[in-house]
Amino acid sequence: MNSFSFCRPTDFFFGRGAENHAGEYAKKHGGTRVLIHFGGGSAIKSGLIGRIEKSLDEAGIYHVRLGGVKPNPRAELVYEGIELCRKEKLDMVIAAGGGSVLDSAKAICNGVPYAGDFWDFYMGGKKPQAHLPLGTVITIAAAGSEGSDSSVINKVVDGVVRKKGCNLQQNVATFSLMNPELTMTLPPFQTACGACDIMCHVMERYFTNTKEVQITDAMCEGVLRTMVEMFPRVMAHPDDYEARANIMWAGTVAHNNILGVGREQDWGSHRLEMELSAMYDVAHGAGLSVVMPAWMECVMDHDVTRFVQFAHRVFGIEPDFYHPEVTARTGIAALRALWGAAGLPLNFEELGAKREDIPQMVAHITHDDRTEGHFVVMDGPFITKVFEHAADYRRP
Ligand code: NZQ
Ligand code: ZN
């Protein structure tokens, strides 16, 4: 196991009615003037924003609204949010929505006290010296942003949409209020995209070259097995509270890095997916369901035993000791079957992506001779192979 440091000080409240504690938690963490940040309308329609406002009113906390965050959140609204916070002298942001809303809020929190352009944090190198505290009320179990140190933003640079992430300790939410019932209004496709993203966050950590990481291996496998059980259950019964609750906490655990400490992590599939969601504005989880299994097939020969372990411990497939690659492939097929049955796309055509755009996406990823991934380090030709494999896959 590798040495590591791990600090995730988020104050969580989990359970029915969590959002009604917004006022109490904002006060506890020093908020007096709050920006409520949300998306395209689902949080208004469900009454969530009204309940958060009521809770803040009861705690005597001033609040201002800024809605309109789009999936694959845009830099323009971040700039607007930063200006609004400065004008209104706000001292806290509460993000109510999905990963896109939370990531937009994180960018605002870091941007308000910063004299330069918040995008500096996403281009690498610069770190915010100060930031506003962030509270979150998540409405989709997916990105894990409520417990992660990441934020991902889209910005048009030189006429091209670029999607960039930044990982900073300052991005870790001060408090997160998690009510599984809030996810019951999700369209089935969004529920499926979220479940896929959760599984991928675990798998990006699971496929590693680090030896002797039994504790995090077992924790990853436990989360993945839970998802294999709960994902079909929630697709069949969207109002199954226990399934929603298990998936919601799985989403947080999958990406607050408790499963990733002490081990090399991969993240190649996520990087490739970011090109797909930047170019086609597709849901992140949908892009992953196309890329991740294709990546697995391209890299499995590197450590077929790890793929056998995955197939056996996650999907209960009996190992074929004479033909381990058959077991490995059966595991990947089981993953595709799970995702495909939930209505997720499995190739470029189903996603709405085009094979002829592959060179442009690869060029974005490999500028300045960059490589991606760690389990297998991918150069341009290898990334092209993964994308082409994802493009050409056909359902059995
Ligand atoms: O805008 P509204 O009307 O709220 O609709 C949203 C949106 O259209 C809808 N939705 C959310 N909760 C709902 C709901 N509709 C009905 N009922 C509800 N309860 O769902 C749609 C998708 O929302 P979005 O926030 O985009 O989804 P998700 O949570 O999957 O976030 C995806 C974004 O997170 C980034 C992705 O790249 C993508 O930009 N990621 C962020 C990470 C992080 N910060 O740690 C890590 C991830 O790997 C990921 O990259
Ligand atoms: Zn993700």
Coordinates of all heavy atoms in Angstrom, one line a residue, residues 248-328:
M248 N -27.5 6.3 -3.0 CA -27.0 7.6 -2.7 C -25.7 7.6 -1.8 O -24.8 8.3 -2.1 CB -28.1 8.4 -1.9 CG -27.7 9.9 -1.7 SD -29.1 10.8 -1.0 CE -29.6 11.7 -2.4
W249 N -25.7 6.8 -0.8 CA -24.5 6.7 0.0 C -23.3 6.1 -0.8 O -22.2 6.5 -0.6 CB -24.7 6.0 1.4 CG -23.6 6.3 2.3 CD1 -22.8 5.3 2.9 CD2 -23.1 7.5 2.8 NE1 -21.8 5.9 3.7 CE2 -22.0 7.3 3.6 CE3 -23.4 8.9 2.6 CZ2 -21.2 8.3 4.2 CZ3 -22.7 9.9 3.2 CH2 -21.6 9.6 4.0
A250 N -23.6 5.1 -1.6 CA -22.6 4.5 -2.5 C -22.0 5.6 -3.3 O -20.7 5.6 -3.5 CB -23.2 3.4 -3.4
G251 N -22.8 6.5 -3.8 CA -22.3 7.6 -4.7 C -21.3 8.5 -3.9 O -20.3 8.9 -4.5
T252 N -21.5 8.7 -2.7 CA -20.6 9.5 -1.9 C -19.3 8.8 -1.6 O -18.2 9.3 -1.8 CB -21.3 10.0 -0.6 OG1 -22.5 10.6 -0.9 CG2 -20.4 10.9 0.2
V253 N -19.5 7.5 -1.1 CA -18.4 6.7 -0.7 C -17.5 6.4 -2.0 O -16.3 6.4 -1.9 CB -18.9 5.4 -0.1 CG1 -17.7 4.4 0.1 CG2 -19.5 5.7 1.2
A254 N -18.1 6.3 -3.1 CA -17.4 5.9 -4.3 C -16.4 7.0 -4.7 O -15.4 6.7 -5.4 CB -18.4 5.7 -5.5
H255 N -16.7 8.3 -4.3 CA -15.9 9.3 -4.9 C -15.3 10.3 -3.8 O -14.7 11.3 -4.2 CB -16.7 10.1 -5.9 CG -15.8 10.9 -6.9 ND1 -14.6 10.4 -7.4 CD2 -16.0 12.1 -7.4 CE1 -14.1 11.3 -8.2 NE2 -14.9 12.3 -8.2
N256 N -15.5 10.0 -2.5 CA -14.8 10.9 -1.6 C -13.4 10.4 -1.3 O -12.7 10.9 -0.5 CB -15.6 11.0 -0.3 CG -15.5 9.8 0.7 OD1 -14.9 8.8 0.3 ND2 -16.0 10.0 1.9
N257 N -13.0 9.4 -2.0 CA -11.6 8.8 -2.1 C -11.3 7.9 -0.9 O -10.1 7.4 -0.8 CB -10.6 9.9 -2.2 CG -9.4 9.4 -3.0 OD1 -9.5 8.5 -3.8 ND2 -8.2 9.9 -2.7
I258 N -12.2 7.6 -0.1 CA -11.9 6.6 1.0 C -11.6 5.2 0.3 O -10.8 4.4 0.9 CB -13.1 6.5 2.0 CG1 -12.5 5.8 3.3 CG2 -14.3 5.8 1.4 CD1 -13.4 6.0 4.5
L259 N -12.1 5.0 -0.9 CA -11.8 3.7 -1.6 C -10.5 3.8 -2.4 O -10.0 2.8 -2.9 CB -12.9 3.4 -2.6 CG -14.3 3.3 -2.0 CD1 -15.3 2.9 -3.1 CD2 -14.4 2.3 -0.9
G260 N -10.0 5.0 -2.5 CA -8.8 5.2 -3.4 C -7.5 5.4 -2.7 O -6.5 5.4 -3.4
V261 N -7.5 5.6 -1.4 CA -6.3 6.0 -0.7 C -5.3 4.8 -0.8 O -5.7 3.6 -0.8 CB -6.6 6.4 0.7 CG1 -7.3 7.7 0.8 CG2 -7.3 5.3 1.5
G262 N -4.1 5.1 -0.8 CA -3.0 4.1 -0.7 C -2.8 3.3 -2.0 O -2.1 2.3 -2.0
R263 N -3.5 3.7 -3.1 CA -3.3 2.9 -4.3 C -3.3 3.9 -5.5 O -3.9 5.0 -5.5 CB -4.5 2.0 -4.5 CG -5.9 2.5 -4.3 CD -6.9 1.5 -4.0 NE -7.2 0.7 -5.1 CZ -7.6 -0.6 -5.1 NH1 -7.6 -1.2 -3.9 NH2 -7.8 -1.3 -6.2
E264 N -2.5 3.5 -6.5 CA -2.5 4.2 -7.7 C -3.9 4.1 -8.3 O -4.5 3.1 -8.3 CB -1.5 3.6 -8.7 CG -1.4 4.1 -10.0 CD -0.6 3.2 -10.9 OE1 -1.1 2.1 -11.2 OE2 0.5 3.6 -11.3
Q265 N -4.4 5.2 -8.9 CA -5.7 5.2 -9.5 C -5.6 5.5 -11.0 O -4.6 6.0 -11.5 CB -6.6 6.3 -8.9 CG -6.6 6.2 -7.4 CD -7.5 7.2 -6.7 OE1 -8.3 7.9 -7.4 NE2 -7.3 7.4 -5.4
D266 N -6.6 5.1 -11.8 CA -6.4 5.2 -13.3 C -6.9 6.5 -13.9 O -6.1 7.3 -14.3 CB -7.1 4.0 -14.0 CG -6.7 4.0 -15.4 OD1 -5.6 3.7 -15.7 OD2 -7.5 4.4 -16.3
W267 N -8.2 6.7 -13.9 CA -8.9 7.9 -14.4 C -8.8 8.1 -15.9 O -9.2 9.2 -16.4 CB -8.4 9.2 -13.6 CG -8.9 9.0 -12.2 CD1 -8.1 8.6 -11.1 CD2 -10.3 9.0 -11.8 NE1 -8.9 8.5 -10.0 CE2 -10.2 8.7 -10.4 CE3 -11.5 9.3 -12.4 CZ2 -11.4 8.7 -9.6 CZ3 -12.6 9.3 -11.6 CH2 -12.6 9.0 -10.2
G268 N -8.3 7.2 -16.7 CA -8.2 7.3 -18.1 C -9.6 7.4 -18.8 O -9.8 8.2 -19.6
S269 N -10.5 6.5 -18.3 CA -11.8 6.5 -18.9 C -12.6 7.8 -18.7 O -13.3 8.3 -19.6 CB -12.7 5.3 -18.3 OG -12.0 4.1 -18.6
H270 N -12.4 8.4 -17.5 CA -13.0 9.6 -17.2 C -12.5 10.7 -18.1 O -13.2 11.6 -18.6 CB -12.8 10.0 -15.7 CG -14.0 9.7 -14.9 ND1 -14.4 8.4 -14.6 CD2 -15.0 10.5 -14.4 CE1 -15.5 8.5 -13.9 NE2 -15.9 9.8 -13.7
R271 N -11.2 10.7 -18.3 CA -10.6 11.7 -19.2 C -11.1 11.6 -20.6 O -11.5 12.6 -21.3 CB -9.1 11.6 -19.2 CG -8.3 12.6 -20.1 CD -8.6 14.0 -19.5 NE -8.1 15.0 -20.5 CZ -8.9 15.5 -21.5 NH1 -10.2 15.2 -21.6 NH2 -8.4 16.4 -22.3
L272 N -11.2 10.4 -21.1 CA -11.8 10.2 -22.5 C -13.2 10.6 -22.5 O -13.7 11.2 -23.5 CB -11.6 8.7 -22.9 CG -10.3 8.3 -23.6 CD1 -9.1 8.7 -22.8 CD2 -10.3 6.8 -24.0
E273 N -14.0 10.3 -21.5 CA -15.4 10.6 -21.5 C -15.6 12.1 -21.5 O -16.5 12.7 -22.1 CB -16.1 10.0 -20.2 CG -17.6 10.1 -20.3 CD -18.2 11.5 -20.3 OE1 -17.8 12.3 -19.4 OE2 -19.1 11.8 -21.1
M274 N -14.7 12.9 -20.8 CA -14.8 14.3 -20.8 C -14.8 14.9 -22.2 O -15.5 15.9 -22.5 CB -13.8 15.0 -19.9 CG -14.2 15.0 -18.4 SD -12.9 15.2 -17.3 CE -12.4 16.9 -17.6
E275 N -14.1 14.3 -23.1 CA -14.1 14.7 -24.5 C -15.5 14.5 -25.1 O -16.0 15.3 -25.9 CB -13.0 14.0 -25.3 CG -11.6 14.5 -25.0 CD -11.5 16.1 -25.2 OE1 -12.0 16.6 -26.2 OE2 -10.9 16.7 -24.3
L276 N -16.0 13.3 -24.8 CA -17.4 13.0 -25.4 C -18.4 14.0 -24.9 O -19.2 14.5 -25.7 CB -17.8 11.6 -25.0 CG -17.0 10.5 -25.7 CD1 -17.3 9.1 -25.1 CD2 -17.3 10.4 -27.2
S277 N -18.4 14.3 -23.6 CA -19.5 15.2 -23.1 C -19.2 16.6 -23.4 O -20.1 17.4 -23.5 CB -19.7 15.0 -21.6 OG -18.6 14.9 -20.8
A278 N -17.9 17.0 -23.7 CA -17.6 18.3 -24.2 C -18.1 18.4 -25.6 O -18.8 19.4 -26.0 CB -16.1 18.6 -24.1
M279 N -17.9 17.4 -26.4 CA -18.2 17.5 -27.9 C -19.7 17.4 -28.2 O -20.2 18.0 -29.0 CB -17.3 16.5 -28.7 CG -17.5 16.7 -30.1 SD -16.3 15.8 -31.1 CE -14.8 16.8 -30.9
Y280 N -20.3 16.4 -27.5 CA -21.7 16.1 -27.9 C -22.7 16.5 -26.8 O -23.9 16.3 -26.9 CB -21.9 14.6 -28.1 CG -20.9 14.1 -29.1 CD1 -19.8 13.3 -28.7 CD2 -21.0 14.4 -30.5 CE1 -18.9 12.8 -29.7 CE2 -20.1 14.0 -31.4 CZ -19.0 13.2 -31.0 OH -18.1 12.7 -31.9
D281 N -22.2 17.1 -25.7 CA -23.1 17.5 -24.6 C -24.0 16.4 -24.1 O -25.2 16.5 -23.8 CB -24.0 18.7 -25.0 CG -24.5 19.5 -23.8 OD1 -23.9 19.3 -22.7 OD2 -25.4 20.3 -24.0
V282 N -23.4 15.2 -24.0 CA -24.1 14.0 -23.5 C -23.9 13.9 -22.0 O -23.0 14.5 -21.4 CB -23.6 12.7 -24.2 CG1 -23.9 12.7 -25.7 CG2 -22.1 12.6 -24.0
A283 N -24.8 13.1 -21.4 CA -24.7 12.9 -19.9 C -23.4 12.2 -19.6 O -23.0 11.2 -20.4 CB -25.9 12.2 -19.4
H284 N -22.7 12.6 -18.6 CA -21.4 12.0 -18.2 C -21.5 10.5 -18.0 O -20.7 9.7 -18.6 CB -21.0 12.7 -16.9 CG -19.8 12.1 -16.2 ND1 -18.6 12.1 -16.8 CD2 -19.6 11.6 -15.0 CE1 -17.7 11.5 -16.0 NE2 -18.3 11.2 -14.9
G285 N -22.6 10.0 -17.3 CA -22.7 8.6 -17.1 C -22.9 7.8 -18.4 O -22.5 6.7 -18.5
A286 N -23.6 8.5 -19.4 CA -23.9 7.8 -20.6 C -22.6 7.7 -21.4 O -22.3 6.6 -22.1 CB -24.9 8.6 -21.4
G287 N -21.7 8.7 -21.4 CA -20.4 8.6 -22.0 C -19.6 7.5 -21.4 O -18.9 6.7 -22.1
L288 N -19.7 7.4 -20.1 CA -18.9 6.4 -19.4 C -19.3 5.0 -19.7 O -18.5 4.1 -19.8 CB -19.0 6.6 -17.9 CG -18.2 7.8 -17.3 CD1 -18.6 8.0 -15.8 CD2 -16.7 7.5 -17.4
S289 N -20.6 4.8 -19.9 CA -21.1 3.4 -20.2 C -20.6 2.9 -21.6 O -20.6 1.7 -21.9 CB -22.6 3.3 -20.1 OG -23.2 4.0 -21.1
V290 N -20.2 3.9 -22.4 CA -19.6 3.6 -23.7 C -18.1 3.3 -23.6 O -17.6 2.4 -24.1 CB -19.9 4.7 -24.7 CG1 -19.2 4.5 -26.1 CG2 -21.4 4.8 -25.0
V291 N -17.5 4.2 -22.9 CA -16.0 4.2 -22.8 C -15.4 3.1 -21.9 O -14.5 2.4 -22.2 CB -15.5 5.6 -22.4 CG1 -14.0 5.5 -22.0 CG2 -15.7 6.6 -23.5
M292 N -16.0 3.0 -20.7 CA -15.4 2.2 -19.7 C -15.2 0.7 -20.1 O -14.1 0.1 -20.0 CB -16.2 2.3 -18.3 CG -15.6 1.5 -17.2 SD -13.9 1.8 -16.7 CE -14.0 2.9 -15.4
P293 N -16.3 0.0 -20.6 CA -16.1 -1.4 -21.0 C -15.1 -1.5 -22.2 O -14.4 -2.5 -22.2 CB -17.5 -1.8 -21.4 CG -18.4 -0.9 -20.8 CD -17.7 0.4 -20.8
A294 N -15.1 -0.5 -23.1 CA -14.2 -0.6 -24.2 C -12.7 -0.5 -23.7 O -11.8 -1.2 -24.1 CB -14.4 0.6 -25.2
W295 N -12.5 0.4 -22.7 CA -11.2 0.6 -22.1 C -10.8 -0.8 -21.4 O -9.7 -1.2 -21.5 CB -11.3 1.7 -21.0 CG -10.0 1.8 -20.2 CD1 -8.9 2.4 -20.5 CD2 -9.8 1.2 -18.9 NE1 -7.9 2.3 -19.5 CE2 -8.5 1.5 -18.5 CE3 -10.6 0.4 -18.0 CZ2 -8.0 1.1 -17.2 CZ3 -10.1 0.0 -16.8 CH2 -8.8 0.4 -16.4
M296 N -11.8 -1.4 -20.7 CA -11.5 -2.6 -20.0 C -11.0 -3.7 -20.9 O -10.0 -4.4 -20.7 CB -12.7 -3.1 -19.2 CG -13.1 -2.2 -18.1 SD -14.8 -2.6 -17.4 CE -14.4 -4.0 -16.3
E297 N -11.7 -3.8 -22.1 CA -11.2 -4.8 -23.1 C -9.9 -4.5 -23.6 O -9.1 -5.4 -23.9 CB -12.3 -4.9 -24.2 CG -13.5 -5.8 -23.7 CD -14.6 -5.8 -24.6 OE1 -14.8 -4.9 -25.5 OE2 -15.5 -6.7 -24.5
C298 N -9.5 -3.2 -23.8 CA -8.2 -2.9 -24.3 C -7.1 -3.1 -23.3 O -5.9 -3.2 -23.8 CB -8.3 -1.4 -24.8 SG -9.3 -1.2 -26.3
V299 N -7.4 -3.0 -22.0 CA -6.3 -3.1 -21.1 C -6.2 -4.4 -20.3 O -5.3 -4.6 -19.5 CB -6.3 -1.9 -20.0 CG1 -6.3 -0.6 -20.7 CG2 -7.5 -2.0 -19.1
M300 N -7.2 -5.3 -20.4 CA -7.3 -6.4 -19.5 C -6.1 -7.4 -19.6 O -5.7 -8.0 -18.6 CB -8.6 -7.2 -19.8 CG -8.7 -7.8 -21.1 SD -10.1 -8.9 -21.2 CE -9.3 -10.4 -21.6
D301 N -5.4 -7.4 -20.8 CA -4.2 -8.3 -20.8 C -3.1 -7.8 -19.9 O -2.2 -8.6 -19.6 CB -3.7 -8.4 -22.3 CG -4.7 -9.1 -23.2 OD1 -5.5 -9.9 -22.6 OD2 -4.6 -9.0 -24.4
H302 N -3.1 -6.6 -19.6 CA -2.1 -6.0 -18.7 C -2.0 -6.7 -17.3 O -1.0 -6.9 -16.8 CB -2.3 -4.5 -18.5 CG -1.4 -3.9 -17.6 ND1 -0.1 -3.7 -17.8 CD2 -1.7 -3.4 -16.3 CE1 0.5 -3.1 -16.7 NE2 -0.5 -2.9 -15.8
D303 N -3.2 -7.1 -16.8 CA -3.3 -7.8 -15.5 C -4.6 -8.6 -15.5 O -5.6 -8.1 -14.9 CB -3.2 -6.8 -14.4 CG -3.2 -7.5 -13.0 OD1 -3.3 -8.8 -13.0 OD2 -3.1 -6.8 -12.0
V304 N -4.6 -9.7 -16.2 CA -5.9 -10.4 -16.4 C -6.4 -10.9 -15.0 O -7.6 -11.0 -14.8 CB -5.7 -11.5 -17.4 CG1 -5.0 -12.7 -16.9 CG2 -7.0 -11.9 -18.1
T305 N -5.5 -11.2 -14.1 CA -5.9 -11.7 -12.8 C -6.8 -10.7 -12.1 O -7.8 -11.0 -11.4 CB -4.7 -12.0 -11.9 OG1 -3.8 -12.8 -12.6 CG2 -5.0 -12.6 -10.6
R306 N -6.5 -9.4 -12.2 CA -7.3 -8.4 -11.6 C -8.7 -8.4 -12.2 O -9.7 -8.2 -11.5 CB -6.6 -7.0 -11.7 CG -7.4 -5.9 -11.0 CD -6.5 -4.9 -10.4 NE -5.9 -5.3 -9.1 CZ -6.6 -5.1 -8.0 NH1 -7.7 -4.5 -7.9 NH2 -6.0 -5.5 -6.8
F307 N -8.8 -8.6 -13.5 CA -10.1 -8.7 -14.1 C -10.9 -9.9 -13.8 O -12.1 -9.9 -13.7 CB -9.9 -8.5 -15.7 CG -9.8 -7.1 -16.1 CD1 -8.5 -6.5 -16.1 CD2 -10.9 -6.4 -16.5 CE1 -8.4 -5.2 -16.4 CE2 -10.7 -5.0 -16.8 CZ -9.5 -4.4 -16.8
V308 N -10.2 -11.0 -13.5 CA -10.8 -12.2 -13.0 C -11.4 -12.0 -11.6 O -12.5 -12.3 -11.3 CB -9.8 -13.4 -13.0 CG1 -10.4 -14.6 -12.3 CG2 -9.4 -13.8 -14.4
Q309 N -10.6 -11.3 -10.8 CA -11.0 -10.9 -9.4 C -12.3 -10.1 -9.5 O -13.2 -10.3 -8.7 CB -9.8 -10.2 -8.7 CG -10.1 -9.8 -7.3 CD -9.0 -9.1 -6.6 OE1 -7.8 -9.5 -6.8 NE2 -9.2 -8.0 -5.9
F310 N -12.3 -9.1 -10.4 CA -13.5 -8.3 -10.6 C -14.7 -9.1 -11.0 O -15.8 -9.0 -10.4 CB -13.1 -7.2 -11.7 CG -14.3 -6.4 -12.1 CD1 -14.8 -5.3 -11.4 CD2 -15.0 -6.8 -13.3 CE1 -15.8 -4.6 -11.9 CE2 -16.1 -6.0 -13.7 CZ -16.5 -4.9 -13.0
A311 N -14.5 -10.0 -12.0 CA -15.6 -10.8 -12.5 C -16.2 -11.7 -11.3 O -17.4 -11.9 -11.2 CB -15.1 -11.7 -13.6
H312 N -15.2 -12.3 -10.6 CA -15.6 -13.2 -9.5 C -16.3 -12.5 -8.3 O -17.3 -12.9 -7.9 CB -14.4 -14.1 -9.1 CG -14.7 -15.0 -8.0 ND1 -15.6 -16.1 -8.2 CD2 -14.2 -15.1 -6.8 CE1 -15.7 -16.8 -7.1 NE2 -14.9 -16.2 -6.2
R313 N -15.6 -11.5 -7.8 CA -16.0 -10.9 -6.6 C -17.2 -9.9 -6.8 O -17.9 -9.7 -5.8 CB -14.9 -10.2 -5.9 CG -13.8 -11.2 -5.4 CD -12.8 -10.5 -4.5 NE -11.8 -11.4 -4.1 CZ -10.6 -11.0 -3.5 NH1 -10.4 -9.7 -3.4 NH2 -9.7 -11.8 -3.2
V314 N -17.3 -9.4 -8.0 CA -18.4 -8.4 -8.2 C -19.6 -9.1 -8.8 O -20.7 -8.9 -8.3 CB -17.9 -7.2 -9.1 CG1 -19.1 -6.3 -9.4 CG2 -16.8 -6.5 -8.4
F315 N -19.4 -10.0 -9.8 CA -20.5 -10.6 -10.4 C -20.7 -12.1 -10.1 O -21.6 -12.7 -10.7 CB -20.4 -10.4 -12.0 CG -20.7 -9.0 -12.4 CD1 -19.6 -8.1 -12.7 CD2 -22.0 -8.6 -12.5 CE1 -19.9 -6.8 -13.1 CE2 -22.2 -7.3 -13.0 CZ -21.2 -6.4 -13.2
G316 N -19.8 -12.6 -9.2 CA -20.0 -14.0 -8.8 C -19.7 -15.0 -9.9 O -20.2 -16.2 -9.9
I317 N -18.9 -14.6 -10.9 CA -18.6 -15.5 -12.0 C -17.5 -16.5 -11.6 O -16.4 -16.0 -11.0 CB -18.2 -14.7 -13.3 CG1 -19.3 -13.9 -13.7 CG2 -17.6 -15.6 -14.4 CD1 -19.0 -12.7 -14.6
E318 N -17.7 -17.8 -11.8 CA -16.7 -18.8 -11.4 C -15.4 -18.6 -12.3 O -15.5 -18.6 -13.5 CB -17.2 -20.2 -11.6 CG -18.0 -20.7 -10.4 CD -17.2 -20.6 -9.0 OE1 -16.1 -21.0 -9.0 OE2 -17.8 -19.9 -8.1
P319 N -14.2 -18.5 -11.6 CA -13.0 -18.4 -12.4 C -12.7 -19.6 -13.3 O -12.9 -20.7 -12.8 CB -11.9 -18.2 -11.4 CG -12.6 -17.8 -10.1 CD -13.9 -18.4 -10.2
D320 N -12.3 -19.4 -14.5 CA -11.8 -20.5 -15.4 C -10.3 -20.4 -15.3 O -9.7 -19.5 -15.9 CB -12.3 -20.3 -16.8 CG -11.8 -21.3 -17.8 OD1 -10.8 -22.0 -17.5 OD2 -12.5 -21.5 -18.8
F321 N -9.7 -21.3 -14.5 CA -8.2 -21.2 -14.2 C -7.4 -21.4 -15.5 O -6.3 -21.0 -15.6 CB -7.8 -22.1 -13.1 CG -8.5 -21.7 -11.8 CD1 -9.5 -22.4 -11.2 CD2 -8.1 -20.6 -11.1 CE1 -10.1 -22.0 -10.1 CE2 -8.7 -20.1 -9.9 CZ -9.7 -20.9 -9.4
Y322 N -8.0 -22.2 -16.4 CA -7.2 -22.5 -17.6 C -7.3 -21.4 -18.7 O -6.5 -21.3 -19.5 CB -7.7 -23.9 -18.2 CG -7.4 -25.0 -17.2 CD1 -8.4 -25.5 -16.4 CD2 -6.1 -25.5 -17.1 CE1 -8.2 -26.5 -15.5 CE2 -5.8 -26.5 -16.1 CZ -6.9 -27.0 -15.4 OH -6.6 -28.0 -14.5
H323 N -8.4 -20.7 -18.6 CA -8.7 -19.6 -19.5 C -9.1 -18.4 -18.8 O -10.3 -17.9 -18.9 CB -9.7 -20.0 -20.6 CG -9.4 -21.3 -21.3 ND1 -10.0 -22.5 -20.9 CD2 -8.6 -21.6 -22.3 CE1 -9.5 -23.5 -21.6 NE2 -8.7 -23.0 -22.5
P324 N -8.2 -17.7 -18.0 CA -8.6 -16.6 -17.2 C -9.2 -15.4 -18.1 O -10.0 -14.7 -17.6 CB -7.3 -16.2 -16.5 CG -6.2 -16.8 -17.2 CD -6.8 -18.1 -17.9
E325 N -8.7 -15.3 -19.3 CA -9.2 -14.2 -20.2 C -10.7 -14.4 -20.5 O -11.4 -13.4 -20.7 CB -8.3 -14.1 -21.5 CG -8.4 -15.2 -22.5 CD -7.7 -16.5 -22.1 OE1 -7.0 -16.5 -21.0 OE2 -7.9 -17.5 -22.8
V326 N -11.1 -15.7 -20.5 CA -12.6 -15.9 -20.7 C -13.4 -15.4 -19.5 O -14.4 -14.7 -19.7 CB -12.8 -17.4 -20.9 CG1 -14.3 -17.7 -21.0 CG2 -12.1 -17.9 -22.2
T327 N -12.9 -15.6 -18.3 CA -13.5 -15.1 -17.1 C -13.6 -13.6 -17.1 O -14.6 -13.0 -16.8 CB -12.8 -15.6 -15.8 OG1 -12.6 -17.0 -15.9 CG2 -13.6 -15.3 -14.6
A328 N -12.4 -13.0 -17.5 CA -12.3 -11.6 -17.6 C -13.3 -11.0 -18.5 O -14.1 -10.1 -18.2 CB -10.9 -11.2 -18.0

